[in-house]
Amino acid sequence: MTDNGQTLVGDYVGVPQWLAEILATAYPTRSVEGVHDVVAVDGTRYPFVLTACALLGVTDPGISTLADIPAYFGVAAKAVAVTVSATTETPTAMAVALASARRARRARGK
């Protein structure tokens, strides 16, 4: 991390050569997912753990907010109430659950 912990810096590993050659210009920005305040099994504390990173192209996505999704698919939107509450799960368990769900979702898509 740099900028007093405000900027995450990393390298992609195992990227195919053809993608590595165009990565900076074809996918100039990134979108990340992560979990804050993670405590590892050995007790080590991490202020942020990166769980996913997506490459974003040179054009903005057609969907920028959740409200755009119904319009994109041509359906009427319904109001949905969401209740958020505290959890007793540790951030590490949440990170593992997120990663597991992502792997399962990707496996179904293949």
Side-chain angles (χ1 to χ4, degrees), residues 5 15 44 80 98 104:
V15 175
T44 305
V80 176
L98 285 170

Side-chain angles (χ1 to χ4, degrees):
M1 294 190 115
T2 63
D3 298 327
N4 291 325
Q6 298 301 305
T7 302
L8 182 63
V9 178
D11 292 319
Y12 288 99
V13 177
V15 175
Q17 184 62 37
W18 66 267
L19 180 57
E21 292 171 0
I22 64 168
L23 198 62
T25 54
Y27 301 97
T29 57
R30 312 290 181 264
S31 174
V32 299
E33 295 175 20
V35 180
H36 290 278
D37 303 321
V38 173
V39 180
V41 177
D42 67 358
T44 305
R45 296 183 171 275
Y46 298 96
F48 183 78
V49 173
L50 183 68
T51 58
C53 183
L55 303 174
L56 302 179
V58 294
T59 58
D60 290 334
I63 296 172
S64 58
T65 68
L66 290 177
D68 294 337
I69 295 173
Y72 179 79
F73 288 102
V75 297
K78 288 196 251 182
V80 176
V82 176
T83 303
V84 179
S85 60
T87 179
T88 58
E89 292 185 58
T90 64
T92 301
M94 288 186 290
V96 170
L98 285 170
S100 176
R102 187 176 302 105
R103 281 191 301 275
R105 188 172 58 242
R106 286 182 183 150
R108 284 191 305 266
K110 289 182 178 180

